[in-house]
Amino acid sequence: MAAAASSFSVTSTTKTPTITATTPHRFHHSQITNLRFKPSPLRIFLQSTRKPITHRTNALNIQCLFTGLVEEIGTVKQIGVASNGGFDLKVDAKTVLNGVCLGDSIAVNGTCLTVTEFDNESSDFTVGLAPETLRKTSLSELEPGSPVNLERAVTPVSRMGGHFVQGHVDGTGEIVSMIPEGDSLWVKVRVEKELLKYIVPKGFIAVDGTSLTVVDVFDDESCFNFMLVAYTQNKIVVPLKKVGQKVNLEVDILGLRQTVHRNF
């Protein structure tokens, strides 16, 4: 394991995919349900142990805040082992670089990360990933070329069109089905029961940092679902994922404050 970690280095660069609101993603039912995700080699660096999901004790200690309205889709440019023993993630982006400073917070697939480097000329920024961040989130599945949702932390003058999102991922879910209905897309996600009890029908949830409304909760399947309209499909990365792939989840902190949960 140690030998593999020391030799790991990825520097390839890929072109950012062009996604426009006028060209919705089109899916065929058989294509969606039969696609299976191939894990990223980055996972070989992570321990296989799983930590239990616990109630977030710092839910009201908000250090940065997001709305869950994705500003742009960036592309992973480079990811690899950093000199400090962690991991560096470099992302191609444009919108979120506007006014960026070192130390600013940017949500990458809903994970609040700190900008350690940025370059306006090459249109990219770098964030550090701790091993615990990789274990707790779906960022361990990223590889060069992966699209990611990006959002800058809000300022006091920002519009709050979504809901309160801290960028503190509570856990991950697994996509179990993606079924089109007209130009919309139904997505069902399986989660641990410890997290499912904080997800309520018609409540808010952040999926890869995207503010979404839960449609139904299926207790017997440990699943919940949501629907993506055509416009949203062209603005976020979830429709680009495959069945079996992970998504980052953050439950609504207002729901946590009210101790919203159901008995199984």
Side-chain angles (χ1 to χ4, degrees):
M1 183 68 70
S6 63
S7 62
F8 177 74
S9 178
V10 179
T11 58
S12 60
T13 302
T14 60
K15 185 178 180 181
T16 304
T18 300
I19 301 177
T20 63
T22 59
T23 309
H25 301 310
R26 297 297 183 185
F27 301 96
H28 187 273
H29 177 76
S30 62
Q31 291 177 319
I32 294 173
T33 56
N34 292 330
L35 288 175
R36 296 294 166 180
F37 172 67
K38 183 178 180 180
S40 164
L42 185 58
R43 285 188 174 186
I44 67 176
F45 297 106
L46 304 179
Q47 297 179 3
S48 59
T49 56
R50 295 171 60 87
K51 295 185 178 181
I53 298 172
T54 57
H55 188 288
R56 191 164 56 207
T57 57
N58 65 335
L60 301 180
N61 183 23
I62 301 175
Q63 297 179 337
C64 57
L65 194 66
F66 304 89
T67 65
L69 301 183
V70 176
E71 293 188 276
E72 70 172 313
I73 296 179
T75 304
V76 174
K77 185 175 183 179
Q78 182 177 326
I79 187 168
V81 180
S83 58
N84 60 3
F87 302 89
D88 278 342
L89 172 66
K90 181 175 288 188
V91 180
D92 276 324
K94 293 181 180 179
T95 302
V96 298
L97 291 178
N98 185 20
V100 70
C101 296
L102 293 178
D104 281 356
S105 295
I106 293 179
V108 179
N109 279 357
T111 307
C112 180
L113 300 172
T114 301
V115 176
T116 57
E117 296 179 16
F118 67 93
D119 190 329
N120 285 312
E121 291 187 3
S122 59
S123 295
D124 59 44
F125 68 93
T126 300
V127 292
L129 299 173
E132 178 63 10
T133 302
L134 292 171
R135 281 191 292 266
K136 190 67 178 289
T137 70
S138 66
L139 299 183
S140 62
E141 296 183 344
L142 296 179
E143 55 189 8
S146 296
V148 287
N149 290 330
L150 301 175
E151 182 191 354
R152 293 167 292 184
V154 301
T155 63
V157 296
S158 296
R159 295 182 178 89
M160 289 295 297
H163 74 281
F164 296 118
V165 179
Q166 294 187 83
H168 298 170
V169 175
D170 291 304
T172 59
E174 179 185 341
I175 298 173
V176 296
S177 68
M178 303 174 75
I179 302 174
E181 181 180 349
D183 63 355
S184 296
L185 182 67
W186 285 100
V187 182
K188 181 182 283 189
V189 177
R190 181 182 296 116
V191 301
E192 299 284 347
K193 286 187 179 293
E194 290 83 358
L195 184 57
L196 186 69
K197 65 184 178 182
Y198 297 110
I199 302 173
V200 297
K202 307 306 182 286
F204 284 122
I205 190 166
V207 180
D208 276 347
T210 305
S211 175
L212 297 170
T213 301
V214 176
V215 178
D216 291 305
V217 176
F218 309 92
D219 291 339
D220 55 337
E221 302 177 50
S222 293
C223 292
F224 72 94
N225 69 354
F226 54 89
M227 175 175 274
L228 300 176
V229 298
Y231 178 84
T232 305
Q233 291 176 49
N234 289 286
K235 297 296 183 180
I236 65 174
V237 302
V238 171
L240 303 176
K241 291 192 170 184
K242 302 175 183 178
V243 170
Q245 199 163 356
K246 288 184 178 181
V247 289
N248 290 325
L249 301 174
E250 180 184 336
V251 297
D252 188 359
I253 60 174
L254 297 182
L256 282 176
R257 178 177 174 83
Q258 299 170 20
T259 61
V260 175
H261 59 87
R262 304 182 313 285
N263 294 322
F264 289 91

